[in-house]
């Protein structure tokens, strides 16, 4: 069983940056595809980014447009989401997820989830 704990959320002004962290414990998390999703108020959960177990390949949601990067440090069992050039539209609860069955972009495919961390971007 894998446990995921997100941190790093908070309040930031438009144009600012945040780095989210997802600490994993238990299971074989270092071999899993790890993903980030977000859920804006009143909207469905949407794909943000994912990275392979090796860290050699990543995928991003269309809205990212080069503003975010995803990385992992398997020695620390942690995955990071660096978010730059934030806008109020990025306001959401951000979730870390692990071990999708197949489709990285589909939240229903993931077996493990963190509790989420709130990101609020003020204008």
């Amino acid at each position: 069983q894998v446990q995921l704990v997100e941190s790093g959320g908070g309040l930031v002004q438009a144009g600012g940056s945040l780095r989210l962290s997802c600490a994993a414990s238990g299971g074989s998390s270092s071999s899993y595809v790890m993903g980030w999703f977000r859920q804006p108020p009143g909207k469905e959960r949407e794909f943000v980014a994912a990275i392979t177990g090796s860290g050699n390949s990543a995928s991003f949601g269309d809205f990212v447009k080069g503003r975010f990067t995803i990385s992992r440090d398997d020695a620390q069992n942690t995955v990071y989401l660096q978010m730059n050039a934030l806008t109020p539209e990025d306001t959401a609860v951000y979730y870390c997820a692990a071990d999708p069955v197949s489709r990285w972009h589909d939240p229903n495919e993931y077996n493990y989830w963190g509790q989420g961390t709130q990101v609020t971007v003020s204008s």
Side-chain angles (χ1 to χ4, degrees):
Q1 191 77 6
V2 175
Q3 292 80 44
L4 304 174
V5 179
E6 302 96 333
S7 61
L11 174 64
V12 64
Q13 289 188 333
S17 299
L18 281 175
R19 188 178 79 157
L20 306 183
S21 300
C22 173
S25 61
S28 301
S29 57
S30 62
S31 65
Y32 294 158
V33 169
M34 300 290 293
W36 286 95
F37 289 78
R38 70 182 189 182
Q39 189 161 15
K43 297 184 178 180
E44 294 185 352
R45 197 165 296 191
E46 64 179 346
F47 174 74
V48 178
I51 188 169
T52 57
S54 66
N56 291 336
S57 182
S59 179
F60 295 90
D62 291 341
F63 69 88
V64 170
K65 300 186 187 302
R67 299 179 299 135
F68 300 176
T69 58
I70 186 171
S71 61
R72 64 190 301 158
D73 181 345
D74 288 330
Q76 299 295 325
N77 290 323
T78 301
V79 176
Y80 302 99
L81 182 70
Q82 176 68 43
M83 305 187 295
N84 300 322
L86 288 163
T87 73
E89 289 68 37
D90 293 314
T91 294
V93 178
Y94 283 71
Y95 296 91
C96 177
D99 192 26
V101 176
S102 58
R103 296 184 298 272
W104 295 7
H105 294 197
D106 186 348
N108 296 313
E109 295 281 311
Y110 284 76
N111 288 307
Y112 305 105
W113 289 89
Q115 82 289 349
T117 185
Q118 176 70 46
V119 171
T120 303
V121 185
S122 64
S123 58

